[in-house]
Amino acid sequence: MQNLFIGKGNLASSPELKILNGRNGEFQVATMRVMFARYSRNKDTNEVEQTGGFWREVEIYGYKAADVAKHLRKGSRVLVIGEEHDYTGTDDAGNDVQVIKIVAEDVALQLTRIEKITFAAPAARQSAPEQDFSEQS
């Protein structure tokens, strides 16, 4: 990795999954917009409050893209690990603008506001019946 980005943030909307054509055939990409906020404690009230932050476009590729699009929703708290890339484009008025995107190696769901998690059986045992591993007397 050229540069490493690690940040926790919230999704502005549910990730969008696209299938694109590349040199080696089709591939999946999930795109999302994430707010990486900064927090500090207010000296007067002693409460934690947002004191800044920044928005970034985040992209993740391959099978992870499909998983991200399937499981994450607007407002999800995520940990993003990846690399920042900057691009130059033009806005509607024809002015040059710099865009910084994060190409993620991984996007992980943080357990904030999670009520329940259900795990799928391992692929090799999906057709096997569930086993009870509780103690037997």
Tab-separated table of all heavy atoms in Angstrom, residues 58-83:
chain	number	residue	atom	x	y	z
A	58	VAL	N	-15.844	6.136	-0.616
A	58	VAL	CA	-15.128	4.887	-0.359
A	58	VAL	C	-15.560	3.860	-1.397
A	58	VAL	O	-16.752	3.734	-1.689
A	58	VAL	CB	-15.419	4.356	1.066
A	58	VAL	CG1	-14.728	3.025	1.307
A	58	VAL	CG2	-14.993	5.372	2.123
A	59	GLU	N	-14.599	3.140	-1.953
A	59	GLU	CA	-14.868	2.060	-2.908
A	59	GLU	C	-14.209	0.793	-2.401
A	59	GLU	O	-13.113	0.840	-1.844
A	59	GLU	CB	-14.282	2.378	-4.285
A	59	GLU	CG	-14.882	3.571	-4.956
A	59	GLU	CD	-14.227	3.883	-6.301
A	59	GLU	OE1	-13.088	3.426	-6.534
A	59	GLU	OE2	-14.871	4.566	-7.096
A	60	ILE	N	-14.894	-0.339	-2.587
A	60	ILE	CA	-14.309	-1.641	-2.274
A	60	ILE	C	-14.674	-2.586	-3.415
A	60	ILE	O	-15.772	-2.484	-3.974
A	60	ILE	CB	-14.752	-2.166	-0.893
A	60	ILE	CG1	-13.960	-3.417	-0.513
A	60	ILE	CG2	-16.250	-2.375	-0.834
A	60	ILE	CD1	-14.042	-3.768	0.963
A	61	TYR	N	-13.770	-3.491	-3.751
A	61	TYR	CA	-13.910	-4.322	-4.949
A	61	TYR	C	-14.042	-5.803	-4.613
A	61	TYR	O	-13.671	-6.244	-3.536
A	61	TYR	CB	-12.694	-4.120	-5.866
A	61	TYR	CG	-12.586	-2.718	-6.391
A	61	TYR	CD1	-11.894	-1.739	-5.697
A	61	TYR	CD2	-13.203	-2.361	-7.579
A	61	TYR	CE1	-11.806	-0.443	-6.175
A	61	TYR	CE2	-13.127	-1.072	-8.062
A	61	TYR	CZ	-12.421	-0.122	-7.357
A	61	TYR	OH	-12.352	1.159	-7.831
A	62	GLY	N	-14.536	-6.568	-5.596
A	62	GLY	CA	-14.575	-8.026	-5.513
A	62	GLY	C	-15.703	-8.552	-4.650
A	62	GLY	O	-16.741	-7.910	-4.477
A	63	TYR	N	-15.490	-9.750	-4.083
A	63	TYR	CA	-16.537	-10.376	-3.277
A	63	TYR	C	-16.877	-9.550	-2.041
A	63	TYR	O	-18.010	-9.590	-1.559
A	63	TYR	CB	-16.147	-11.811	-2.891
A	63	TYR	CG	-15.052	-11.900	-1.850
A	63	TYR	CD1	-15.355	-11.944	-0.500
A	63	TYR	CD2	-13.710	-11.921	-2.218
A	63	TYR	CE1	-14.359	-12.002	0.455
A	63	TYR	CE2	-12.716	-11.988	-1.275
A	63	TYR	CZ	-13.040	-12.029	0.058
A	63	TYR	OH	-12.056	-12.087	1.005
A	64	LYS	N	-15.915	-8.793	-1.534
A	64	LYS	CA	-16.190	-7.935	-0.379
A	64	LYS	C	-17.197	-6.846	-0.734
A	64	LYS	O	-17.978	-6.419	0.108
A	64	LYS	CB	-14.911	-7.308	0.156
A	64	LYS	CG	-13.988	-8.298	0.829
A	64	LYS	CD	-12.742	-7.607	1.354
A	64	LYS	CE	-11.802	-8.592	1.998
A	64	LYS	NZ	-10.586	-7.940	2.513
A	65	ALA	N	-17.199	-6.409	-1.985
A	65	ALA	CA	-18.158	-5.394	-2.434
A	65	ALA	C	-19.584	-5.916	-2.293
A	65	ALA	O	-20.469	-5.210	-1.808
A	65	ALA	CB	-17.873	-4.999	-3.880
A	66	ALA	N	-19.813	-7.153	-2.714
A	66	ALA	CA	-21.146	-7.746	-2.601
A	66	ALA	C	-21.563	-7.892	-1.144
A	66	ALA	O	-22.719	-7.619	-0.786
A	66	ALA	CB	-21.178	-9.099	-3.302
A	67	ASP	N	-20.630	-8.287	-0.279
A	67	ASP	CA	-20.944	-8.434	1.146
A	67	ASP	C	-21.271	-7.090	1.789
A	67	ASP	O	-22.202	-6.970	2.580
A	67	ASP	CB	-19.777	-9.090	1.887
A	67	ASP	CG	-19.599	-10.559	1.518
A	67	ASP	OD1	-20.550	-11.157	0.971
A	67	ASP	OD2	-18.510	-11.102	1.782
A	68	VAL	N	-20.503	-6.068	1.454
A	68	VAL	CA	-20.751	-4.725	1.990
A	68	VAL	C	-22.136	-4.237	1.569
A	68	VAL	O	-22.910	-3.741	2.382
A	68	VAL	CB	-19.645	-3.750	1.516
A	68	VAL	CG1	-20.060	-2.311	1.665
A	68	VAL	CG2	-18.352	-4.012	2.273
A	69	ALA	N	-22.463	-4.399	0.283
A	69	ALA	CA	-23.764	-3.944	-0.222
A	69	ALA	C	-24.913	-4.735	0.401
A	69	ALA	O	-25.996	-4.197	0.625
A	69	ALA	CB	-23.798	-4.055	-1.737
A	70	LYS	N	-24.671	-5.987	0.695
A	70	LYS	CA	-25.722	-6.842	1.263
A	70	LYS	C	-25.999	-6.523	2.733
A	70	LYS	O	-27.149	-6.510	3.162
A	70	LYS	CB	-25.305	-8.305	1.128
A	70	LYS	CG	-26.291	-9.300	1.708
A	70	LYS	CD	-25.786	-10.713	1.512
A	70	LYS	CE	-26.714	-11.719	2.171
A	70	LYS	NZ	-26.184	-13.096	2.040
A	71	HIS	N	-24.962	-6.244	3.504
A	71	HIS	CA	-25.116	-6.162	4.955
A	71	HIS	C	-25.125	-4.754	5.550
A	71	HIS	O	-25.605	-4.567	6.665
A	71	HIS	CB	-24.014	-6.965	5.639
A	71	HIS	CG	-24.095	-8.428	5.349
A	71	HIS	ND1	-25.120	-9.217	5.793
A	71	HIS	CD2	-23.282	-9.234	4.623
A	71	HIS	CE1	-24.940	-10.457	5.384
A	71	HIS	NE2	-23.828	-10.489	4.658
A	72	LEU	N	-24.596	-3.755	4.857
A	72	LEU	CA	-24.511	-2.420	5.446
A	72	LEU	C	-25.641	-1.533	4.956
A	72	LEU	O	-26.069	-1.633	3.817
A	72	LEU	CB	-23.158	-1.778	5.127
A	72	LEU	CG	-21.933	-2.520	5.648
A	72	LEU	CD1	-20.664	-1.774	5.280
A	72	LEU	CD2	-22.013	-2.739	7.152
A	73	ARG	N	-26.103	-0.657	5.832
A	73	ARG	CA	-27.187	0.259	5.523
A	73	ARG	C	-26.823	1.672	5.974
A	73	ARG	O	-25.892	1.876	6.732
A	73	ARG	CB	-28.480	-0.162	6.248
A	73	ARG	CG	-29.002	-1.514	5.840
A	73	ARG	CD	-29.549	-1.453	4.417
A	73	ARG	NE	-29.905	-2.753	3.904
A	73	ARG	CZ	-29.161	-3.493	3.094
A	73	ARG	NH1	-27.990	-3.060	2.708
A	73	ARG	NH2	-29.562	-4.646	2.653
A	74	LYS	N	-27.623	2.630	5.510
A	74	LYS	CA	-27.448	4.033	5.896
A	74	LYS	C	-27.324	4.127	7.416
A	74	LYS	O	-28.079	3.508	8.154
A	74	LYS	CB	-28.658	4.841	5.423
A	74	LYS	CG	-28.607	6.283	5.842
A	74	LYS	CD	-29.825	7.041	5.381
A	74	LYS	CE	-29.752	8.487	5.843
A	74	LYS	NZ	-30.878	9.256	5.350
A	75	GLY	N	-26.332	4.882	7.873
A	75	GLY	CA	-26.124	5.093	9.302
A	75	GLY	C	-25.229	4.072	9.962
A	75	GLY	O	-24.840	4.251	11.114
A	76	SER	N	-24.885	2.985	9.260
A	76	SER	CA	-24.018	1.965	9.851
A	76	SER	C	-22.684	2.576	10.248
A	76	SER	O	-22.117	3.394	9.542
A	76	SER	CB	-23.745	0.832	8.856
A	76	SER	OG	-24.906	0.134	8.530
A	77	ARG	N	-22.193	2.168	11.402
A	77	ARG	CA	-20.868	2.584	11.864
A	77	ARG	C	-19.867	1.580	11.321
A	77	ARG	O	-20.022	0.379	11.534
A	77	ARG	CB	-20.833	2.622	13.383
A	77	ARG	CG	-19.538	3.112	13.956
A	77	ARG	CD	-19.633	4.582	14.204
A	77	ARG	NE	-18.427	5.056	14.886
A	77	ARG	CZ	-17.875	6.209	14.629
A	77	ARG	NH1	-18.437	7.017	13.755
A	77	ARG	NH2	-16.813	6.596	15.261
A	78	VAL	N	-18.862	2.059	10.584
A	78	VAL	CA	-17.913	1.161	9.934
A	78	VAL	C	-16.474	1.566	10.227
A	78	VAL	O	-16.181	2.723	10.504
A	78	VAL	CB	-18.133	1.123	8.399
A	78	VAL	CG1	-19.462	0.498	8.048
A	78	VAL	CG2	-18.008	2.507	7.783
A	79	LEU	N	-15.608	0.581	10.152
A	79	LEU	CA	-14.169	0.790	10.197
A	79	LEU	C	-13.658	0.569	8.787
A	79	LEU	O	-13.908	-0.478	8.189
A	79	LEU	CB	-13.501	-0.199	11.155
A	79	LEU	CG	-11.967	-0.211	11.157
A	79	LEU	CD1	-11.430	1.086	11.750
A	79	LEU	CD2	-11.445	-1.409	11.910
A	80	VAL	N	-12.984	1.559	8.223
A	80	VAL	CA	-12.478	1.486	6.851
A	80	VAL	C	-10.958	1.431	6.899
A	80	VAL	O	-10.317	2.271	7.533
A	80	VAL	CB	-12.943	2.706	6.022
A	80	VAL	CG1	-12.350	2.664	4.626
A	80	VAL	CG2	-14.457	2.775	5.968
A	81	ILE	N	-10.405	0.435	6.216
A	81	ILE	CA	-8.957	0.305	6.082
A	81	ILE	C	-8.655	0.292	4.583
A	81	ILE	O	-9.235	-0.504	3.850
A	81	ILE	CB	-8.440	-0.990	6.727
A	81	ILE	CG1	-8.800	-1.012	8.213
A	81	ILE	CG2	-6.931	-1.139	6.515
A	81	ILE	CD1	-8.522	-2.323	8.895
A	82	GLY	N	-7.803	1.191	4.152
A	82	GLY	CA	-7.517	1.249	2.729
A	82	GLY	C	-6.452	2.262	2.400
A	82	GLY	O	-5.609	2.592	3.223
A	83	GLU	N	-6.543	2.771	1.184
A	83	GLU	CA	-5.550	3.690	0.656
A	83	GLU	C	-6.253	4.899	0.049
A	83	GLU	O	-7.245	4.744	-0.664
A	83	GLU	CB	-4.759	2.943	-0.423
A	83	GLU	CG	-3.555	3.648	-0.937
A	83	GLU	CD	-2.771	2.761	-1.885
A	83	GLU	OE1	-2.495	1.602	-1.542
A	83	GLU	OE2	-2.440	3.256	-2.980
